[in-house]
Amino acid sequence: MVGTILLFFLSMIMIGPVVNKYYHYFPRPKFMQTAVVTGANRGLGLEWVEQLLSQGYKVYAGYRSDKGELANMDNDNLVVIQLDVKSNESVKQFAGKIGENIDLLINNAGVGDGRWQNLNEIDDEQSLDVIDINALGPVRVVQALYQNMNHDSLTKVAMISSLMGSIDDCQSGRSYAYRASKTALNMFTVAMKNEALKDNISFAIVHPGWVRTGMGGSNAPLEMKESVAGMMEVLQTQTLENTGRFVQYDGKILPW
Ligand SMILES: NC(=O)c1ccc[n+]([C@@H]2O[C@H](COP(=O)([O-])OP(=O)(O)OC[C@H]3O[C@@H](n4cnc5c(N)ncnc54)[C@H](OP(=O)(O)O)[C@@H]3O)[C@@H](O)[C@H]2O)c1
């Protein structure tokens, strides 16, 4: 009996990844968690993919137009799919290709706004574009993947925000559109958290710290590895009870 059970689990471990690569509908062994990462071709998104794979997750990675490093990663647990979070059509097509429950969604894709422009340089079209991608993009992804997240076990959603979206913390000003986009993302998330409670979905609004990436620049003090490892730890403590918290990579709770 014990031998049969052992044999069953061994065969699931060996066959599962191979079949998963080709047939996304194959029922996975229960102990394998599935994650989705947006904006996964570079920067923090790519680091998320690498760390999640190394922890044994199956990962669906979204890229906007250039696969970047994702193209060179040979891993049976990685599925790479085009995703522009600004486009409803693209988000729906992306979601349509994920035929299984997901346990973790990392809403990471985002853009900057040129940072330190003056008040008279605020460009309405550019600002709407930044808000569309940073605030509405993650909402579109949550809507499209809701059915995949609504299941018996807990699903964790990380909305990658920024301390720059904190109204309390906004001393230096400027960076108008980026700040406003992240503040809006925070409010969308807090406003949706109650509806999602009954469906076992918990949201963390996470600030990665100031990190050396294309967006963060070379003067940033934090390395991607440390930031993402910290955010992973934060997510381990994510529950239905603390849904909607605004927290940074090292677990510190941030002011709104
Ligand atoms: N780095 C920091 O210090 C810092 C601090 C606070 C918050 N954050 C947040 O952390 C997240 C990741 O930032 P990062 O530093 O890794 O930035 P990054 O290096 O500039 O990478 C941004 C990623 O988002 C993707 N993206 C942009 N627009 C997209 C769209 N419409 N659809 C799909 N993907 C899109 C980019 O894809 P392409 O290659 O196609 O452009 C890229 O993969 C962002 O939400 C950012 O606001 C970063």
Side-chain angles (χ1 to χ4, degrees):
M1 179 67 178
V2 177
T4 315
I5 293 171
L6 263 177
L7 199 67
F8 172 74
F9 278 111
L10 267 178
S11 56
M12 289 298 267
I13 289 167
M14 290 166 71
I15 297 168
V18 179
V19 180
N20 263 331
K21 187 174 180 184
Y22 301 102
Y23 300 102
H24 302 153
Y25 294 89
F26 183 75
R28 292 160 305 125
K30 263 282 180 221
F31 44 83
M32 187 182 215
Q33 299 257 301
T34 296
V36 171
V37 182
T38 70
N41 57 316
R42 63 188 172 97
L44 287 165
L46 183 62
E47 184 65 33
W48 273 108
V49 172
E50 284 170 357
Q51 292 199 25
L52 286 166
L53 287 172
S54 77
Q55 293 208 3
Y57 277 82
K58 174 171 182 182
V59 180
Y60 288 92
Y63 68 96
R64 176 164 55 173
S65 52
D66 176 4
K67 287 187 187 172
E69 276 302 304
L70 293 172
N72 305 322
M73 289 169 73
D74 183 22
N75 189 312
D76 290 342
N77 290 327
L78 175 65
V79 183
V80 178
I81 307 173
Q82 195 275 333
L83 169 67
D84 182 348
V85 301
K86 201 180 149 185
S87 152
N88 276 313
E89 200 45 46
S90 171
V91 172
K92 280 183 193 149
Q93 278 179 17
F94 176 81
K97 289 177 183 154
I98 301 178
E100 61 176 310
N101 287 343
I102 60 176
D103 308 288
L104 181 63
L105 165 60
I106 310 295
N107 255 320
N108 165 78
V111 286
D113 65 356
R115 284 183 91 94
W116 301 113
Q117 79 273 42
N118 295 318
L119 195 156
N120 64 5
E121 290 167 337
I122 298 174
D123 179 300
D124 54 359
E125 271 182 27
Q126 189 218 5
S127 298
L128 285 172
D129 195 52
V130 172
I131 291 167
D132 197 353
I133 293 168
N134 290 359
L136 286 160
V139 176
R140 286 187 189 100
V141 176
V142 167
Q143 284 180 317
L145 288 176
Y146 203 90
Q147 287 316 310
N148 305 67
M149 301 195 289
N150 175 7
H151 50 76
D152 287 345
S153 53
L154 181 68
T155 301
K156 301 175 183 180
V157 180
M159 298 296 226
I160 304 302
S161 183
S162 171
L163 181 60
M164 290 185 77
S166 166
I167 292 173
D168 284 328
D169 186 72
C170 183
Q171 301 307 318
S172 59
R174 305 213 185 181
S175 228
Y176 296 94
Y178 183 75
R179 285 186 185 281
S181 72
K182 293 296 189 181
T183 313
L185 171 65
N186 292 1
M187 181 53 97
F188 267 119
T189 309
V190 174
M192 71 172 79
K193 72 175 186 183
N194 288 339
E195 268 189 74
L197 268 178
K198 65 176 185 331
D199 299 318
N200 273 325
I201 301 169
S202 176
F203 291 90
I205 302 170
V206 190
H207 170 51
W210 182 19
V211 194
R212 281 195 291 281
T213 63
M215 188 186 293
S218 55
N219 289 332
L222 262 184
E223 278 185 24
M224 290 192 284
K225 262 194 186 358
E226 189 182 348
S227 167
V228 172
M231 290 191 275
M232 296 259 265
E233 256 183 62
V234 166
L235 288 177
Q236 271 168 24
T237 63
Q238 192 64 27
T239 61
L240 289 179
E241 285 67 39
N242 61 21
T243 183
R245 62 184 170 149
F246 186 19
V247 58
Q248 73 178 14
Y249 74 99
D250 59 1
K252 183 181 167 200
I253 297 295
L254 297 174
W256 295 108

